[in-house]
Amino acid sequence: MRPSLVISAFSLVLVSSTGAARSPQEAVAEVIPVVQSKRTTAAEPVQRPPRFRGGPTSFTNNTAITITDCPNPCPASGQAASLYPSPIAVSGLTGVVENVSVTINGYSHAFPADTDFLLVSPSGRKSVLMSDFGAGSPGVSNINITMDDYGPRPIPSTVTGNTGVPFVTGTYRPANSGTTDQFPAPAPAAPYTYTLSAFNGEDPNGTWNLYVIDDANLDGGSISGGWTISFDNRPTPPAAGDILITEFRTRGAGTTPPASDGSADEFIEIYNNTDQSITIIDAIPGADPTSPTGAGWRFAGAQGATETTFLVLPQTLSTAGPLALPPRGHFLISTQPTTPSPAGNTYSLATYPTGTGITASGSANVSLNPASAAVGFFPDDVGLAVFSTANALTANRLDSVGYSSVTNADYKEGTGLGPAAGITTAGQHSWVRRLAGGVPQDTGNNLADFVLVDTTGGTLDGVAAVLGAPGPERGPTMTAYTTTSAPLDRFTTIPAELLDPGATSISAPNLVRDMTPVTNGALGTVKIRRKFTNNTGLPIVALRYRVYKIPTRTGGTVPAGQADLRVLNSPTQTITLTDTTTVTAQALTLQTPAAQALGGGLNSSLAEGVITTTAPLANGASTYVEFNLGVETDGAYRFHVVAEGLTVPP
């Protein structure tokens, strides 16, 4: 079960400009944190226990290896190590390889990215496990590194985005840069694969060879304890509910020319709904990623009863190693035609959110090039499904969402979305999965679980859209954790408290009602101030706050008795507390694109731009912010946000 959650939630009745309260009961309502109980409701996913593997069968060659520094000039094939290859004879195993890992024992090198490792199986399959990754100076000393496709994080790189990520004893996913690696004979020549899953399905018995080279001058190293190869069962594959489609659209605003209908302006966002890393590897044990069809996950679209389009997301999109979704992390697929027709009919949200150095282009640079950029990849009346196999197998369906016209049970859950023909209006809108207590809602009913948001808050093709914005989120990539990735949801580890514990939740400075009219606040503003503390255990290098409950314009109107609030920017400011001390509230900026001329709403996000890779929020440190809400109509309201923080992995 999920532990108790403390989510920032506010409930208060706004008084009108005349100062009259709406009712005695409403007038005494307080702004209080909402505590989510441990009970799991039907609207909340059950948290599965951590996955554990059985004990591995291991074989070791403990002969030390000297990693000789490459001479100057260094040949293209590098300098072979003192034991080349280092062999391990495997015998007595039954069955085929399901999961194999390699441990380097006592690894030392002044510049680890100079070291290349090539593993060759008894049958001759060959995979580069590490090359041009591992970071640089000051190097590593006598660490033990295990390379496993199911590792929690990739081997750190030397790029700017990974500055500060240590390379220490632990388990990592293989990582490599480029396809130009060469190993001197007797190592087999390229082409190579770049995952350990490349060995799935073959007989493990026989001699496995590890080839180690140094491919740059100036630094050398050693492997004092040799190496170990381990064979094990694959981890339990993800099940339905572990992976969720959390946001999507089949067309958007488009770009120039003005006649563009936005039909290629598409994206699909998925979410790891567990507390464990999930590797995008075919769920079928023994699946062979070296075969022509490969192994991976299937993203498919259906119309009516028939699947009409699909793509297989391979377990590795390049030589940079296996793809994985971190705990509570996202993965984004976006349509980005390289030669769009009509010109400019492209994905418009690649730079969301601006101002933080974090983008929402497709995760791991996934780009779809539809056969016709004028109509996009997915049809408007689509049913979307994600399968944890390269084939559309019902037993391995992870999640689905579709319009009401979809009749194939694998491509829709419960009652479908409306209208039957899909949203065909161009604009900055998307279907967003609702949050319940700060976690994605998954009742098995698409109509109940998803809401349409739009920057106009109008009616689109007969559907009343809530004022808000699309907010596609991508996950960290192999080569850059902090410059092209999205913050992770942090439900319990970035808790909110009153900015001033000496005052009540409805009194200054914790809450201030200002009657001065502003743009998108005809009746003034309400300012809610809170303190957030980093309890993640790691430095936070990007922090934002996503709105998941707010009363605002819906279908062009506001329900009677409900407030109409708009999320606005807030400035950096000094706030005096009741004990006369002061704190600095940091500025919050509404993130774009999409432009939100009417103010922010549901699914809008606010960035705390002062927190960056060079000025992180340390573990245990706190920050103070103000949520500045424009009041267009007064009335009762509840305002909920989730803090999303990106941490540099340990």
Side-chain angles (χ1 to χ4, degrees):
M1 297 290 235
R2 174 173 293 283
S4 296
L5 303 176
V6 180
I7 305 299
S8 299
F10 313 103
S11 178
L12 186 75
V13 170
L14 297 175
V15 296
S16 69
S17 57
T18 63
R22 302 186 66 89
S23 73
Q25 292 79 14
E26 292 172 342
V28 298
E30 288 193 23
V31 182
I32 56 174
V34 173
V35 180
Q36 183 72 26
S37 70
K38 292 184 179 181
R39 180 176 61 85
T40 300
T41 69
E44 297 168 347
V46 174
Q47 179 60 50
R48 294 173 173 81
R51 303 185 179 101
F52 294 97
R53 298 189 300 182
T57 301
S58 301
F59 302 82
T60 298
N61 181 341
N62 56 19
T63 304
I65 301 171
T66 299
I67 305 173
T68 307
D69 183 27
C70 199
N72 187 15
C74 185
S77 58
Q79 173 65 51
S82 62
L83 186 61
Y84 189 84
S86 178
I88 291 180
V90 173
S91 62
L93 299 184
T94 59
V96 298
V97 172
E98 286 190 9
N99 185 60
V100 60
S101 62
V102 168
T103 300
I104 308 300
N105 304 308
Y107 175 49
S108 300
H109 201 281
F111 203 96
D114 290 355
T115 312
D116 297 355
F117 296 85
L118 173 68
L119 181 65
V120 180
S121 72
S123 70
R125 291 189 191 179
K126 47 202 176 179
S127 186
V128 175
L129 306 183
M130 173 178 156
S131 173
D132 305 313
F133 274 64
S137 180
V140 296
S141 178
N142 202 38
I143 65 172
N144 300 327
I145 58 168
T146 296
M147 287 173 274
D148 188 324
D149 282 356
Y150 295 93
R153 57 194 182 277
I155 293 169
S157 76
T158 56
V159 299
T160 302
N162 264 343
T163 298
V165 179
F167 194 23
V168 295
T169 291
T171 300
Y172 300 86
R173 297 193 301 276
N176 171 59
S177 176
T179 59
T180 60
D181 291 304
Q182 298 181 44
F183 289 80
Y192 305 121
T193 55
Y194 300 91
T195 69
L196 282 155
S197 296
F199 303 108
N200 289 351
E202 71 169 280
D203 184 349
N205 297 294
T207 299
W208 294 74
N209 287 305
L210 183 68
Y211 295 86
V212 182
I213 65 169
D214 185 286
D215 66 0
N217 181 244
L218 294 179
D219 301 292
S222 63
I223 303 173
S224 61
W227 66 290
T228 299
I229 189 167
S230 302
F231 301 91
D232 203 354
N233 296 325
R234 302 182 77 174
T236 303
D242 286 349
I243 297 294
L244 297 175
I245 299 170
T246 44
E247 190 170 354
F248 79 96
R249 72 180 182 195
T250 56
R251 71 169 66 197
T255 53
T256 54
S260 172
D261 65 0
S263 56
D265 194 359
E266 308 169 326
F267 69 85
I268 309 165
E269 172 196 285
I270 64 172
Y271 171 73
N272 178 354
N273 197 35
T274 77
D275 293 319
Q276 293 82 42
S277 178
I278 295 180
T279 306
I280 301 177
I281 294 179
D282 201 311
I284 300 175
D288 180 4
T290 65
S291 69
T293 56
W297 289 4
R298 187 183 189 94
F299 288 74
Q303 290 177 283
T306 306
E307 181 183 284
T308 56
T309 186
F310 74 93
L311 65 100
V312 173
L313 184 68
Q315 68 183 66
T316 178
L317 290 170
S318 66
T319 63
L323 294 171
L325 279 67
R328 305 294 164 187
H330 298 84
F331 192 90
L332 181 67
I333 293 178
S334 60
T335 301
Q336 300 182 70
T338 54
T339 54
S341 177
N345 194 6
T346 59
Y347 175 66
S348 64
L349 299 173
T351 57
Y352 165 81
T354 57
T356 63
I358 294 173
T359 70
S361 57
S363 293
N365 300 315
V366 175
S367 295
L368 305 180
N369 297 300
S372 172
V375 298
F377 191 83
F378 288 110
D380 290 322
D381 57 349
V382 74
L384 290 171
V386 182
F387 301 89
S388 60
T389 62
N391 297 315
L393 303 178
T394 298
N396 297 108
R397 185 185 64 85
L398 297 173
D399 194 31
S400 62
V401 57
Y403 286 96
S404 58
S405 57
V406 176
T407 57
N408 189 318
D410 281 343
Y411 296 81
K412 183 179 68 176
E413 292 185 358
T415 304
L417 308 175
I423 300 297
T424 59
T425 300
Q428 287 293 15
H429 49 69
S430 67
W431 287 99
V432 179
R433 185 178 289 274
R434 299 177 188 271
L435 298 185
V439 297
Q441 176 175 299
D442 186 22
T443 66
N445 185 336
N446 291 160
L447 188 60
D449 291 340
F450 283 83
V451 59
L452 183 66
V453 298
D454 177 69
T455 54
T456 68
T459 297
L460 307 180
D461 300 298
V463 179
V466 178
L467 179 68
E473 299 182 69
R474 63 174 289 154
T477 69
M478 185 67 68
T479 57
Y481 255 84
T482 58
T483 57
T484 54
S485 52
L488 308 180
D489 291 345
R490 303 289 183 182
F491 304 117
T492 60
T493 54
I494 310 177
E497 304 171 75
L498 296 177
L499 178 140
D500 185 351
T504 69
S505 58
I506 58 171
S507 60
N510 294 320
L511 185 140
V512 175
R513 180 71 167 96
D514 185 342
M515 298 297 183
T516 306
V518 297
T519 302
N520 293 318
L523 301 182
T525 57
V526 59
K527 305 175 190 299
I528 302 172
R529 290 147 173 184
R530 290 296 183 265
K531 168 186 174 182
F532 288 84
T533 301
N534 176 12
N535 291 335
T536 65
L538 297 166
I540 292 176
V541 296
L543 181 60
R544 69 183 175 202
Y545 307 89
R546 186 171 300 274
V547 178
Y548 74 90
K549 184 179 289 293
I550 183 173
T552 192
R553 173 175 173 162
T554 302
T557 63
V558 181
Q562 175 183 293
D564 180 4
L565 303 185
R566 312 293 174 84
V567 179
L568 311 176
N569 295 341
S570 60
T572 301
Q573 56 192 305
T574 299
I575 298 174
T576 301
L577 307 184
T578 53
D579 64 3
T580 72
T581 61
T582 61
V583 297
T584 300
Q586 302 297 340
L588 295 182
T589 304
L590 191 64
Q591 294 182 306
T592 58
Q596 296 159 70
L598 299 182
L602 186 65
N603 201 49
S604 295
S605 58
L606 291 155
E608 187 172 347
V610 69
I611 298 173
T612 65
T613 56
T614 56
L617 182 66
N619 180 53
S622 298
T623 184
Y624 301 90
V625 296
E626 174 185 281
F627 299 101
N628 186 27
L629 307 177
V631 183
E632 283 289 297
T633 304
D634 60 8
Y637 76 95
R638 294 180 71 83
F639 177 71
H640 296 234
V641 301
V642 169
E644 298 177 346
L646 180 68
T647 57
V648 174

